Amino acid sequence: MTPKPDIRDLSLDELTRHMISAGEKPYRAVQVFEWIYQKGAWSFEAMRNLPGELRECLKKDFDLKPNTVVRKVVSEDKTTKFLLDLFDHEKVESVLIPTATRTTGCISTQAGCKFGCKFCASGLGGWKRNLTCAEILAQVLHVQEESLNHKRPLSNIVFMGTGEPLDNFDNLFKAIRTINSDKGIGIGARHITISTVGLVPKIKELAKQNLQIELAISLHGYDNESRNLLIPVNRKYPFDDLIAACREYFKATKRQITFEYILIKDVTCTEKAVQSLKKAFKGIICKMNLIPYNPVEEFGHKTPSGKEMTDFRDRLEECGIHATIRTPRGRDVGAACGQLRHASQLLAK
Ligand code: SAH
């Protein structure tokens, strides 16, 4: 028996076409969408205003997998990390981050990660597979449910969980369209951020998508050599090509890019780095998000002192690069940037 598709793998257009071909009224697709994405239905039975016969047909044609939360941990700062069990018992993590002004869901796009950056826990257990559109959406639904329990509606989504979003391009964009749709989750494109390790051809492809989403680039190195040491895929898509692709992206979309830059003591947080970044970023209007290194025991790096970090930020500002320091969230429960792990390592922790 071939497995049934999960209904969340369908766009609203696809579900509408399905309804029409099944002899149903097109508005039934909208009702189903609202049940799943707005009213928190995790089963077809729960969709009470649909005729019983239609619910039976949907059950026959589609799955609506719960992707059960098997572990939930809450940090001192109220950041909540979820561990979800997928159909093949792969597991992924998602994080809900409440702050004074927003409630952000941090979502994974792959089980494990191929890229093996030399400071990040996500690559340590290797790569298993891409997540489906439905699995990406299920994470958003879980964090949305939790945020509503706390009467804090989900306002932002960041694709900064495990895996490389642009390496799972089609499923990611299908999911984003449902997250963005007012019949779906209804989060504005400007409140959705994709973070990438710097896959140059995909950044070019992204520039052609007509979406107002935010793009963040994990730069982390200040020149080709330093980036080679930290991010192995820099050998394939070197520093200068990446910066050139970002310039092109800005020209095509007029959208400002955020650069993520990790602060590692004596490695990335130096005057040499300031000088090199000043040269590379000449004429680029951007934001630089400085991320204090979050400890991962397998790597020997150290986080700089508070003063070293603010001095570095001030030097960048003096050089015309607008920089802010990201406040680490959820460090005590391993939910901060770079601390999410692949399932093979998770349950041992
Ligand atoms: N693969 C994507 C999505 C991951 S987003 C990407 O590379 O952008 C997670 C962010 O946290 C990335 O910028 C990543 O480089 C950064 N990060 C990884 N490990 C970290 C660590 N130990 N401390 C701080 N930031 C880290």
Side-chain angles (χ1 to χ4, degrees):
M1 211 173 84
T2 51
K4 290 186 275 188
D6 190 301
I7 196 160
R8 290 161 303 190
D9 280 325
L10 273 66
S11 66
L12 183 58
D13 281 355
E14 287 166 340
L15 188 58
T16 305
R17 283 200 292 278
H18 174 87
M19 290 293 182
I20 294 169
S21 69
E24 294 287 344
K25 293 273 188 296
Y27 73 85
R28 294 293 187 199
V30 174
Q31 285 181 315
V32 171
F33 249 58
E34 287 171 349
W35 273 115
I36 298 174
Y37 299 111
Q38 298 176 4
K39 298 195 234 169
W42 288 96
S43 72
F44 294 111
E45 285 84 21
M47 303 180 186
R48 289 186 306 273
N49 62 351
L50 298 188
E53 212 176 293
L54 174 57
R55 276 183 270 162
E56 283 309 309
C57 285
L58 289 172
K59 230 157 77 185
K60 193 163 67 40
D61 292 336
F62 298 109
D63 255 334
L64 182 51
K65 295 197 185 78
N67 297 130
T68 317
V69 174
V70 290
R71 189 199 278 172
K72 186 173 120 182
V73 277
V74 184
S75 152
E76 280 169 5
D77 65 19
K78 297 280 178 279
T79 297
T80 307
K81 184 168 81 161
F82 302 87
L83 178 66
L84 270 67
D85 186 34
L86 307 180
F87 71 91
D88 53 358
H89 300 301
E90 274 297 324
K91 294 187 179 48
V92 287
E93 292 184 307
S94 324
V95 184
L96 181 70
I97 311 156
T99 68
T101 51
R102 53 177 78 166
T103 308
T104 302
C106 175
I107 306 299
S108 295
T109 51
Q110 299 183 314
C113 186
K114 297 175 187 170
F115 293 90
C117 298
K118 304 289 181 214
F119 45 79
C120 180
S122 300
L124 289 170
W127 179 83
K128 202 59 198 226
R129 65 173 175 85
N130 278 336
L131 300 188
T132 64
C133 171
E135 288 167 338
I136 294 171
L137 289 171
Q139 295 175 67
V140 180
L141 291 170
H142 280 297
V143 294
Q144 171 169 262
E145 197 166 83
E146 177 79 9
S147 73
L148 292 177
N149 284 342
H150 298 279
K151 307 223 167 3
R152 299 200 37 147
L154 196 59
S155 60
N156 293 67
I157 294 290
V158 295
F159 289 101
M160 297 189 182
T162 304
E164 167 53 36
L166 296 187
D167 191 42
N168 187 9
F169 204 89
D170 294 345
N171 294 344
L172 171 70
F173 278 91
K174 198 159 196 192
I176 286 180
R177 288 187 197 278
T178 295
I179 294 169
N180 186 218
S181 159
D182 58 353
K183 302 286 186 288
I185 292 174
I187 295 180
R190 286 164 194 243
H191 294 175
I192 302 174
T193 303
I194 296 176
S195 177
T196 175
V197 69
L199 306 184
V200 167
K202 300 289 181 189
I203 293 169
K204 293 184 176 169
E205 212 174 317
L206 187 63
K208 295 189 209 134
Q209 305 272 323
N210 197 12
L211 269 176
Q212 304 271 303
I213 45 128
E214 299 291 322
L215 178 62
I217 306 280
S218 289
L219 188 68
H220 303 323
Y222 50 84
D223 60 12
N224 205 46
E225 202 185 331
S226 65
R227 199 165 189 270
N228 269 344
L229 294 176
L230 294 171
I231 301 188
V233 78
N234 188 67
R235 294 184 190 274
K236 193 162 174 193
Y237 304 120
F239 187 88
D240 290 343
D241 295 6
L242 176 60
I243 299 287
C246 292
R247 285 184 194 272
E248 265 176 57
Y249 179 91
F250 179 69
K251 219 165 124 192
T253 63
K254 298 283 172 293
R255 298 200 58 75
Q256 216 184 87
I257 294 177
T258 299
F259 289 88
E260 294 163 285
Y261 187 86
I262 193 164
L263 298 176
I264 303 176
K265 192 175 172 65
D266 301 332
V267 178
T268 62
C269 196
T270 61
E271 181 58 26
K272 183 177 176 199
V274 172
Q275 292 307 325
S276 178
L277 290 169
K278 179 180 174 184
K279 217 163 96 201
F281 279 78
K282 202 157 180 248
I284 298 184
I285 304 165
C286 67
K287 292 171 272 189
M288 183 81 76
N289 209 327
L290 304 175
I291 317 181
Y293 168 68
N294 291 312
V296 173
E297 65 195 26
E298 286 84 346
F299 302 108
H301 304 305
K302 293 207 166 50
T303 314
S305 69
K307 181 169 185 315
E308 282 168 317
M309 295 196 282
T310 49
D311 285 352
F312 185 76
R313 178 201 57 203
D314 294 347
R315 287 291 296 126
L316 288 179
E317 290 275 348
E318 282 162 19
C319 296
I321 300 173
H322 176 48
T324 50
I325 299 175
R326 185 183 289 176
T327 313
R329 300 295 307 260
R331 261 187 187 169
D332 55 330
V333 294
C337 295
Q339 294 185 318
L340 303 188
R341 285 169 184 267
H342 180 248
S344 58
Q345 299 198 313
L346 271 170
L347 294 172
K349 289 253 141 200

